[in-house]
Amino acid sequence: MPKVLIATEKPFAAGAVTKIKAELEQAKYDYAFLESYTDPADLHAAVKDADALIIRSDIVDEAVFNAAPNLKIVVRAGAGYDNIDLKTATAKNVVAMNTPGQNSNAVAELAIGMMIYMARGKFNGKSGTELAGKKLSLYGYGYVPRFLAKMAKGIGMDVYAYDPYLKDEQFAQDGVTRLQSVEDVFKTGDYISLHIPATADTKKSINDQLFALMKDNVIMINTARKEVIDEEALVRALEQKAKFRYASDVAPDNTALLEEKFGERVYWTPKKMGAQTAEANDNAGVASVRQIVGYLENGDKTFQVNK
Ligand code: 3PG
């Protein structure tokens, strides 16, 4: 009987845990939960007899793989897998997967909420602005921005997107105007929403050159990863453009400085919460179990990311 460890430093909602257990019991799999841990040693101990591992933003580095001799598959219940050491996974013959799309609606809804929050002066009661009639630039056009585009169009925004990996039809069928370059993303939007993964190429890629192209009163929303921002350049952009506002779902590194200098114009969630909904937890949690069963029983590698 294969054993699955569900290791979530940030636990799934109770309803999702119930659904995950039901799926595992139906598959007749053994399982254990490790929730709210703070010491990696707890993960190392818990994973020692696991055949499969489900995680969220939990770090799965070489030490975790070394502690898990039976591990065959790790599934990131979510989209971004920058927390998994893919090279070591491959070297150890472990399949790594994500669950694309399963928590995307939740993240898109949070981005809309943040756009409104910033447009309305963080709900300070003073006169703000509306989203309707404004241009929204999406940097990346994967699952989250596709949900976001639909919502934004419902509000009456004009939606633009840049993603070099997609065909023209993908944009056309959604009524989204395709942008041809990263620079166009920054020039076009009254609102800019970031949806790129954190990779060696994208880390600190939102830099002085790109900030300089933005409109003076732009609102930027980052529900992607803090690492894609050059935070020193962000400070300079906030200094240079007196109406530029920035909101992110996960605190930047230089929170104290940003708060002190630009309090009214910056916002971040206290803890990453884009995917923190009952629905997203249900979807991503259950999909993770099904992908594990699909792989262990039938060799299905559909969502493998370490190819
Ligand atoms: C993701 O990559 O799916 C999101 O950033 C959500 O991450 P979380 O599961 O840690 O909330």
Side-chain angles (χ1 to χ4, degrees):
M1 186 190 273
K3 178 166 179 189
V4 180
L5 174 69
I6 301 94
T8 48
E9 172 271 321
K10 188 171 60 183
F12 289 120
V17 170
T18 303
K19 291 191 171 95
I20 289 167
K21 285 181 182 169
E23 288 285 326
L24 288 163
E25 279 158 22
Q26 199 187 327
K28 299 199 174 3
Y29 279 20
D30 205 357
Y31 59 82
F33 281 77
L34 174 69
E35 295 182 321
S36 308
Y37 62 96
T38 49
D39 188 346
D42 294 342
L43 175 55
H44 301 163
V47 81
K48 70 176 188 310
D49 57 350
D51 299 283
L53 174 62
I54 296 174
I55 48 150
R56 296 186 63 180
S57 288
D58 307 71
I59 305 292
V60 180
D61 56 12
E62 198 177 350
V64 175
F65 286 110
N66 287 341
N70 299 341
L71 198 63
K72 295 160 192 70
I73 175 168
V74 52
V75 180
R76 194 282 189 238
Y81 44 88
D82 45 310
N83 48 326
I84 305 176
D85 177 349
L86 294 183
K87 236 170 122 189
T88 303
T90 305
K92 299 258 183 195
N93 220 9
V94 176
V95 168
M97 293 187 185
N98 65 350
T99 64
Q102 300 293 348
N103 60 16
S104 306
N105 188 68
V107 181
E109 286 189 11
L110 184 72
I112 289 281
M114 287 176 146
M115 285 160 63
I116 296 173
Y117 185 58
M118 297 311 281
R120 294 298 186 94
K122 295 167 78 172
F123 298 160
N124 63 2
K126 295 181 190 159
S127 187
T129 55
E130 299 180 18
L131 274 52
K134 306 297 189 311
K135 292 180 176 170
L136 170 63
S137 277
L138 303 169
Y139 186 5
Y141 199 57
Y143 286 94
V144 174
R146 284 178 217 168
F147 280 104
L148 182 49
K150 214 198 275 180
M151 294 172 197
K153 285 171 71 67
I155 290 173
M157 302 186 88
D158 295 322
V159 184
Y160 299 77
Y162 172 70
D163 195 320
Y165 302 105
L166 301 176
K167 294 203 171 87
D168 284 339
E169 292 78 50
Q170 179 73 59
F171 301 87
Q173 79 192 15
D174 295 351
V176 168
T177 304
R178 181 171 205 171
L179 296 172
Q180 297 304 328
S181 69
V182 180
E183 286 74 16
D184 283 347
V185 171
F186 288 80
K187 282 183 205 161
T188 305
D190 300 301
Y191 293 78
I192 297 170
S193 192
L194 306 178
H195 301 286
I196 52 174
T199 65
D201 289 337
T202 64
K203 281 181 186 165
K204 293 194 177 199
S205 66
I206 314 292
N207 56 18
D208 285 309
Q209 285 75 28
L210 293 178
F211 282 126
L213 299 173
M214 300 188 311
K215 295 178 183 179
D216 284 339
N217 60 351
V218 71
I219 292 178
M220 180 181 284
I221 306 296
N222 183 4
T223 54
R225 291 288 182 271
K226 69 176 176 182
E227 289 84 359
V228 302
I229 299 281
D230 176 341
E231 291 191 10
E232 287 172 13
L234 172 65
V235 171
R236 286 190 285 276
L238 285 159
E239 275 165 356
Q240 283 153 19
K241 296 180 197 286
K243 290 186 179 162
F244 166 36
R245 283 152 285 172
Y246 176 79
S248 67
D249 180 26
V250 71
D253 289 330
N254 56 0
T255 49
L257 176 77
L258 286 166
E259 184 68 43
E260 186 198 318
K261 290 186 86 160
F262 314 107
E264 283 284 288
R265 295 193 283 134
V266 291
Y267 172 75
W268 43 85
T269 49
K271 198 169 167 71
K272 186 162 79 155
M273 54 171 289
Q276 285 291 66
T277 66
E279 295 88 341
N281 286 179
D282 284 358
N283 294 341
V286 168
S288 299
V289 178
R290 290 184 182 166
Q291 288 175 211
I292 287 169
V293 175
Y295 175 62
L296 293 181
E297 304 304 322
N298 306 314
D300 184 348
K301 296 184 186 175
T302 304
F303 297 106
Q304 184 175 10
V305 291
N306 60 332
K307 289 181 212 176

